[in-house]
Amino acid sequence: MTADTARHPDDVMWFAVLPDTESGGAAARLLRRGGAREEVPHASGRPWLLGRWEPGEMTVAGAGTVRVAATGPGAAVLTRLSAPLARLRTTCDLDRISARLPGAHHLLCSADGQVRAQGTLAHTCRVFYCRLAGCMVAADRSDVLAAACGAPIDEGVLALRLLSPSAPFPLADRPLWQGVNAVPGDHCLLLDAHGGARTVRRWRPPPAELPLDQAASAVRDALVAAVAARTHDGGTISADLSGGMDSTSLCFLADRGPARLLTYRHGSADPAHDDAVWARIAVDALPGAKHLNAEIDGIPAVFAGLTAPDADPEEPFRWVRSQARLADLGQRMAAAGARLHMTGDGGDELFGSTPSALHSLARVRPLTALRQLRDHRALRRWPLAASLKTLADTSAYPSWLAARCGPLLDALPPPTVPSVWWGPPLRLPRWATPQAAALVRERLTHTAGEQPEPLAPLRVQHERLHYAQVCGRTIRLADRITAPYGVRLAAPYLDDHVIEAALSARLELHAPPDRYKPVLAHAMRKIVPDSLLHRTTKGAFGADTYTGLDRHRAELLALHSEDSLLARRRLVDAGALRAALVAPHRDTSTIWPLDPTLAAERWLRAATAKGPR
């Protein structure tokens, strides 16, 4: 194994899925070198699942020669689905279980020599696969497979990770290891009896046609079930209570369940930040819960601890600036006795105003679209000619993707131009090298040439799904920061059933100029106090960003000294990056591009380190 190949993640939890073949046994022997300590056989007796997982993390059930497994908190509900389990005959029948299983889980099935594995739409649970010992095998971590087959780092994917706000679909979810593939969230993986593999689509976006009452009812039912899946086992669960609609709604839903609720809010460096005002209203309406507030001086600043050798070795962590705060959260919630912490992440991605809805709306209800455009222009000062031009655009997704190659290093367009394309403008940071830009352009051009379908035919649904996946992949890594303290991280908004319900709302409900998150607000009526559902402000944390950057600038400069691994690979100019770290920033928009680079540098050091992590 060279310095560029993956190392065995010996101290992490993982599982692998093997075909019901003789070569699957040979692959199992290679995977056991990664520290596997648990195994579940096929009905044939050959190894099916192996790896390292905590007690209760993997739930296995079955009838006859069919085996089904689910992972994650609340997966034990699988054993209560006795009737659907008894009717299972083939891996295709797993859809019946998926439709009745709330929460976020891997679902795995072995039946008559066929194996199926799937994650979640939002990538909170993921499945990867590669060829090992002559057959295709799957796992929930790409670095586990990379270590088993000695896969080297894919520098093109690494360069893509420098993009802001993120790489586009389908490049955003590519593993960083050559030869390791990811199963799309809306697909499942099938391993056959001959050692082969193929992915099959398992889900398609719903029509965006439900009126407000019906869409809100669907969202309410899905969220109630999603939160109940986390509270069902009782004990103490904690939840963010920022005072915003997303986290507040989860708290009121959790308060109705059998678990004891502990809410958590931390302060801000901005004295004008109004989250505390709204959080106090919520606290007064939750007398049965316990509430924990952390002052800003008592929690780590953003950008803290980034020189520590504790980065996740699988992929860069997008919320890198908040890593120390997440660890602090895990410690606090564990000390308070919580077993799981719920976050409102995903609410903005599903229910926030998305201008691309106007593009889709113009195709089916043009007069309604023009009325909403008029109101948006009055509020945001969108120029008429540019607004009409973007609405008239008919470019297919591959064409849009190919066009992203040109302006990678240009200045961003003015914010007065509405973004109703398939996604936002993509930019590399000014410290990216020509080599990095060339690698990104090559991947964009090649991928566009493959004519990929978007995540959904409607631009607004595609954009919501893309950002739900960006958020879900981040939550997946954030959970690994809190889990060592015994606290799992959950984002109910990113569950499959919640996503499907949110996408079913009529198009005019996705970008109304006069209402804030109307579908979610309507869904939470009579559950959350009306005063909280009518909040129109959203707290920002710009002051925290400036404070953290000032406090930890020396550490960030040390991270990007002349021995920067990204600089050694000629992906960043270390001098230009250090100049950006010491330069004044007019607003936080020039600070955000630092995060992907910081995350990539930390990941690269962890992924290529010698010896155990």
Side-chain angles (χ1 to χ4, degrees), residues 215-554:
S217 178
V219 167
R220 183 187 308 111
D221 291 346
L223 273 178
V224 167
V227 173
R230 276 80 181 188
T231 63
H232 179 273
D233 293 334
T236 296
I237 67 163
S238 55
D240 290 334
L241 181 56
S242 67
M245 191 185 300
D246 304 332
S247 63
T248 301
S249 297
L250 297 182
C251 288
F252 279 89
L253 289 172
D255 193 50
R256 295 149 51 112
R260 295 180 294 275
L261 175 63
L262 169 68
T263 72
Y264 175 70
R265 187 188 71 82
H266 66 73
S268 168
D270 184 357
H273 202 283
D274 67 343
D275 273 2
V277 175
W278 298 95
R280 279 195 292 272
I281 297 174
V283 165
D284 291 342
L286 291 167
K290 292 185 177 180
H291 307 283
L292 176 62
N293 294 324
E295 297 300 326
I296 186 62
D297 293 338
I299 63 174
V302 296
F303 298 115
L306 297 189
T307 55
D310 59 354
D312 194 297
E314 185 183 13
E315 64 176 299
F317 180 50
R318 285 180 58 84
W319 295 347
V320 61
R321 66 171 64 184
S322 300
Q323 181 158 325
R325 286 190 171 182
L326 282 164
D328 180 74
L329 169 70
Q331 291 175 305
R332 290 176 184 270
M333 298 306 102
R339 60 175 176 83
L340 179 144
H341 183 83
M342 290 197 304
T343 171
D345 293 295
D348 287 339
E349 288 78 359
L350 293 182
F351 300 107
S353 181
T354 305
S356 58
L358 295 174
H359 183 276
S360 304
L361 183 61
R363 270 73 191 155
V364 293
R365 287 184 287 281
L367 292 180
T368 302
L370 288 174
R371 284 195 295 269
Q372 287 200 353
L373 176 62
R374 177 198 61 199
D375 294 342
H376 276 292
R377 288 186 60 238
L379 288 170
R380 295 171 173 80
R381 299 183 180 180
W382 290 348
L384 179 59
S387 300
L388 293 176
K389 179 181 179 180
T390 57
L391 285 184
D393 174 71
T394 58
S395 59
Y397 187 69
S399 299
W400 175 84
L401 199 61
R404 299 311 95 199
C405 296
L408 288 174
L409 298 172
D410 295 350
L412 286 168
T416 54
V417 178
S419 177
V420 300
W421 314 95
W422 288 101
L426 304 178
R427 293 295 184 269
L428 284 168
R430 59 183 182 271
W431 49 84
T433 62
Q435 176 172 308
L439 285 169
V440 170
R441 288 193 177 100
E442 186 276 327
R443 292 303 174 96
L444 287 170
T445 302
H446 178 77
T447 303
E450 294 177 327
Q451 299 292 302
E453 291 185 7
L455 289 163
L458 297 176
R459 291 187 182 184
V460 60
Q461 289 187 328
H462 167 84
E463 192 171 7
R464 290 208 186 280
L465 282 167
H466 170 64
Y467 283 114
Q469 290 181 350
V470 171
C471 184
R473 289 191 292 272
T474 309
I475 287 290
R476 174 174 171 265
L477 300 185
D479 174 53
R480 298 178 188 172
I481 297 174
T482 62
Y485 301 101
V487 179
R488 299 300 304 271
L489 199 65
Y493 287 108
L494 297 176
D495 287 2
D496 284 12
H497 301 311
V498 179
I499 291 173
E500 181 161 5
L503 295 182
S504 70
R506 289 176 62 134
L507 293 170
E508 57 264 38
L509 298 173
H510 289 275
D514 56 344
R515 288 177 291 175
Y516 183 65
K517 299 184 178 179
V519 175
L520 181 59
H522 201 72
M524 291 297 103
R525 289 172 58 193
K526 299 182 180 180
I527 296 175
V528 177
D530 286 344
S531 58
L532 292 168
L533 296 177
H534 294 153
R535 180 183 178 184
T536 57
T537 61
K538 184 174 178 63
F541 290 88
D544 294 53
T545 299
Y546 286 119
T547 299
L549 184 58
D550 287 343
R551 187 174 299 173
H552 297 289
R553 181 175 282 110

Side-chain angles (χ1 to χ4, degrees), residues 15 57-59 69-75 104-108 125:
F15 68 84
E57 180 68 15
M58 181 80 70
T59 300
T71 70
H105 312 286
H106 289 94
L107 275 179
L108 316 167
C125 298

